[in-house]
Amino acid sequence: MALRYYQVEAKQAVMDYWAETPGNPLVVSATGTGKAMMQASLTCDLLAGWSDLRIMNTTHVVELVESNFKELVGMSPFAPCGIWAASLGRSDRSAQVLFSQIQSVHDKAVQIGHVDILQIDEAHLVPFKQATMYRRLIDALLEVNPDMKVNGFTATDFRLDGGRLTEGEGRLFDAVVYDYGLRRGIDDGYLTPITSKPVGTKYDMTGVGRSMGEYKASDYREAVDTESLNRRVVEEVLDTEGHRKKALIFCRGVEHAGHIRDEFRRQGRSVELVHGGTPAGERRRTIEDLKSGKLWGVVNDNILSTGTNIVGADLLVDLYRTMSASRYVQRAGRLTRVIYPPGFDPEAVEAEARRAAIASWIKPNGRYMDFAGNISEHGPVDMVQPRKPGSGSGEAPIKICPECEEICHASARVCHCCGNEFVFEEKPKFAERPTDAPILSSEATEWRTVTDRRFDFHQGKAGKLDSVKVTYICAMTGIREWLGPGHHGKFKSNTDRFWAIHGGQRPFPKTVMEWLERQLELNTTAEIAVTPNPGFKSNPWKVTDHKPGTERAHVNDNVPTAANDNGIGHARWDELEVPF
């Protein structure tokens, strides 16, 4: 199969980098975009140019060792390659191109001998610390050949504990030479879109401490692993997304995973459990049963976040809150594998046709159900910015307001957005209400029903003009936008359009106060169209269009208006008698 344009560009970027510098390059390519093919093609080109090169490919998951090996053999059937992985019963230590599992070779540098190029798959798992399997192997191979080059491939160019792979003391990689992200893959029609909707059940993390850059397992299990909460989670999954075909369920710990599996079974779904201690053969059979349709879902304790290719997975239930942005992104990436209609050739058409083919077939999107709060923790999956590790406990100097999800400094006493007073305690407390943050920074426009609407005066800052803040209540979510009756240009035009389509009389209001005084002229808003608003966690949705209702709005909840209502519209504010 011919390489896609980005695979060719990624391969060439590595070669161009080495032509200019002897450093260690890193290729970032989203999950599902064919990193195995990139590595295989690069290996073939290197062997074609320098036939005596010794190349070693290593990673941590045996499934990746096997798939990377098969990719090269499929591309070059007579390539001089072998495998060293105890899980596969192979130790072809003399192979010119050696595919290896790090657990089997980390202390075997002497037996391996001279290596010219070391390729590392899932490079985000290479720690900065020296006393680790990857570092011991690399240091020992460099003693054999000080000129050995290292190049890495990963979907996330940041470490599990925060910070970029190319930054900081102890880094292995010098530069990201190519980056093909999730957003580009979806726009190109090579990845399935991910969608996220609010969930009604949210974990209460009160009392969950942190240790070693992650939430404490014992505290976490005590907070979330209860019979009633497990039942509510499973019921909500099946009520809202029970029509999905293949589900991956991520839990924290084997015990929690077992309880969730049992609850799904009690509610009639065929679900199995795999974990770190599951024998390799059993794990392989379970995955194959999910792929074939014998199983509806597989529960796991995060071992399926990398190295497992389940193309048909269209539902991910995340019950494992993590402080690691890398784990979150890798997990969500399980949903992006594409299924095109039979006979469809994605390479013969443009991106628009590929997107249309995905949308019309059996997996138009993947649903990410975020019960754990990872979207609020890290942001949209295609816009994640890793925290830089600090010199102290590793906790980020921020906190999230439990009322409005505004990001505030850790020392703040009051939320600057909603005025909520923080309760200071050593252990973090997170919002119990459902989150409505988008899983992608740019999802398709969706229409939401408006159950209430409110206009408020919004004072301009730093000399800017005042505006009208509009708050729409959609189910349990408040979505805001701003209108500018006193502004000019497009902002004013959009404001006048809102007034006109909602039945307001001419002339248009020219000030915020005039708008508020005349708001009873307007009909209700029946629906709003929204798209994600990346970078604004307190207001993660942007309003792009409106559908007006057929009835006039009220300034309060009294219908008909109560006799003692004092809302704007009954008298001008400057005509009221003020007793001072």
Side-chain angles (χ1 to χ4, degrees):
M1 186 173 72
L3 295 182
R4 293 169 177 169
Y5 80 91
Y6 61 85
Q7 293 171 326
V8 175
E9 291 176 354
K11 178 181 64 172
Q12 190 59 45
V14 174
M15 300 294 283
D16 291 345
Y17 180 82
W18 277 334
E20 298 177 359
T21 177
N24 297 335
L26 182 68
V27 172
V28 180
S29 188
T31 301
T33 55
K35 290 188 291 295
M37 181 170 284
M38 295 181 196
Q39 296 172 71
S41 182
L42 177 60
T43 298
C44 289
D45 285 2
L46 289 168
L47 292 176
W50 300 270
S51 59
D52 58 345
L53 278 181
R54 181 95 187 280
I55 301 173
M56 182 175 178
N57 182 300
T58 191
T59 188
H60 68 297
V61 178
V62 67
E63 286 86 356
L64 283 176
V65 176
E66 188 174 11
S67 63
N68 289 341
F69 172 83
K70 289 180 178 178
E71 194 71 53
L72 178 61
V73 172
M75 191 173 293
S76 178
F78 300 104
C81 55
I83 294 175
W84 193 339
S87 300
L88 297 175
R90 298 276 296 273
S91 58
D92 306 326
R93 63 188 66 186
S94 299
Q96 183 178 350
V97 181
L98 180 61
F99 291 86
S100 63
Q101 187 176 8
I102 187 63
Q103 295 89 331
S104 298
V105 300
H106 67 94
D107 57 352
K108 301 296 191 300
V110 174
Q111 292 93 317
I112 294 169
H114 183 100
V115 172
D116 294 293
I117 295 174
L118 177 65
Q119 293 185 348
I120 301 177
D121 198 1
E122 304 292 348
H124 60 281
L125 293 174
V126 179
F128 277 34
K129 298 178 180 179
Q130 297 297 319
T132 60
M133 287 190 291
Y134 273 108
R135 288 294 184 154
R136 286 197 299 269
L137 174 65
I138 293 168
D139 290 345
L141 290 175
L142 284 171
E143 288 185 10
V144 178
N145 177 22
D147 295 325
M148 181 182 73
K149 292 180 172 62
V150 181
N151 70 291
F153 293 83
T154 183
T156 52
D157 66 321
F158 33 91
R159 296 145 44 193
L160 292 180
D161 59 350
R164 298 285 179 186
L165 290 175
T166 54
E167 298 175 353
E169 185 178 355
R171 69 183 184 273
L172 175 62
F173 300 100
D174 297 302
V176 173
V177 297
Y178 194 78
D179 190 344
Y180 186 79
L182 181 64
R183 181 74 264 158
R184 282 180 66 189
I186 292 173
D187 290 344
D188 282 345
Y190 289 127
L191 294 178
T192 299
I194 311 175
T195 182
S196 180
K197 308 291 182 191
V199 293
T201 305
K202 178 101 186 257
Y203 286 163
D204 179 1
M205 300 283 286
T206 303
V208 178
R210 304 181 183 187
S211 177
M212 303 294 290
E214 194 54 278
Y215 295 108
K216 288 183 179 178
S218 57
D219 288 355
Y220 193 92
R221 183 170 59 251
E222 184 177 349
V224 308
D225 191 12
T226 67
E227 183 177 348
S228 61
L229 190 53
N230 291 341
R231 183 172 60 253
R232 283 162 50 198
V233 165
V234 172
E235 287 176 349
E236 182 170 352
V237 170
L238 297 181
D239 286 346
T240 60
E241 298 295 335
H243 63 280
R244 298 280 177 170
K245 298 175 179 62
K246 289 180 173 62
L248 296 173
I249 303 103
F250 286 83
C251 298
R252 179 69 186 274
V254 178
E255 186 176 354
H256 183 210
H259 294 160
I260 292 293
R261 174 203 58 191
D262 295 343
E263 187 59 42
F264 271 110
R265 286 178 172 179
R266 274 193 289 271
Q267 299 197 32
R269 291 301 170 111
S270 55
V271 174
E272 283 292 351
L273 165 64
V274 295
H275 53 82
T278 303
E282 181 181 340
R283 173 174 163 175
R284 188 185 296 267
R285 285 193 300 273
T286 300
I287 298 302
E288 290 303 319
D289 286 346
L290 179 64
K291 291 179 179 179
S292 68
K294 286 185 178 181
L295 294 175
W296 178 77
V298 171
V299 184
N300 74 103
D301 61 341
N302 204 53
I303 66 169
L304 298 183
S305 60
T306 59
T308 305
N309 181 6
I310 303 173
V311 176
D314 59 354
L315 173 63
L316 193 146
V317 180
D318 204 345
L319 310 178
Y320 181 170
R321 183 152 178 163
T322 178
M323 293 175 63
S324 168
S326 181
R327 288 192 181 98
Y328 159 59
V329 174
Q330 293 280 348
R331 214 176 291 167
R334 300 303 100 194
L335 293 172
T336 62
R337 305 280 181 175
V338 172
I339 302 179
Y340 295 114
F344 179 81
D345 182 3
E347 312 310 326
V349 297
E350 299 297 325
E352 183 177 358
R354 288 191 291 267
R355 294 196 300 269
I358 294 171
S360 66
W361 195 232
I362 60 176
K363 185 183 170 183
N365 59 55
R367 169 73 193 275
Y368 180 91
M369 297 192 75
D370 185 24
F371 293 95
N374 283 313
I375 300 175
S376 297
E377 176 94 10
H378 302 290
V381 73
D382 58 334
M383 297 288 287
V384 168
Q385 295 294 325
R387 299 186 182 95
K388 292 185 178 181
S391 57
S393 65
E395 297 186 5
I398 63 170
K399 57 188 173 186
I400 301 175
C401 175
E403 295 299 325
C404 68
E405 294 184 302
E406 179 75 3
I407 297 179
C408 303
H409 193 274
S411 63
R413 297 280 175 180
V414 178
C415 174
H416 61 268
C417 180
C418 69
N420 174 64
E421 295 185 4
F422 292 111
V423 176
F424 276 76
E425 49 190 5
E426 293 183 0
K427 297 179 180 179
K429 185 172 183 177
F430 299 98
E432 295 182 57
R433 64 181 178 82
T435 182
D436 191 28
I439 182 68
L440 289 176
S441 66
S442 178
E443 294 181 19
T445 299
E446 62 176 271
W447 286 92
R448 296 196 179 185
T449 300
V450 177
T451 56
D452 196 9
R453 182 191 69 197
R454 176 188 176 94
F455 297 118
D456 288 295
F457 179 88
H458 184 81
Q459 185 174 5
K461 298 179 181 179
K464 294 182 179 179
L465 295 175
D466 300 332
S467 59
V468 177
K469 182 174 75 172
V470 190
T471 304
Y472 306 96
I473 303 301
C474 303
M476 299 176 66
T477 301
I479 299 175
R480 298 190 292 274
E481 74 167 328
W482 283 260
L483 301 172
H487 287 68
H488 302 282
K490 186 177 181 181
F491 192 24
K492 170 64 171 173
S493 299
N494 290 339
T495 300
D496 290 346
R497 179 178 179 274
F498 180 99
W499 184 268
I501 67 173
H502 284 83
Q505 300 174 15
R506 305 293 179 96
F508 298 117
K510 294 182 175 60
T511 66
V512 174
M513 291 309 302
E514 184 182 356
W515 181 290
L516 296 177
E517 291 167 4
R518 295 174 57 189
Q519 63 179 287
L520 292 181
E521 297 177 20
L522 301 179
N523 289 343
T524 59
T525 302
E527 295 180 66
I528 56 174
V530 296
T531 58
N533 196 24
F536 296 88
K537 290 193 176 182
S538 63
N539 192 45
W541 297 100
K542 179 181 179 181
V543 180
T544 60
D545 204 354
H546 315 79
K547 290 181 181 178
T550 57
E551 299 179 353
R552 290 297 176 97
H554 299 272
V555 294
N556 66 2
D557 293 330
N558 301 312
V559 182
T561 305
N564 65 344
D565 188 275
N566 295 317
I568 294 174
H570 299 276
R572 288 179 55 88
W573 66 273
D574 54 354
E575 293 176 351
L576 296 174
E577 293 186 8
V578 182
F580 55 81

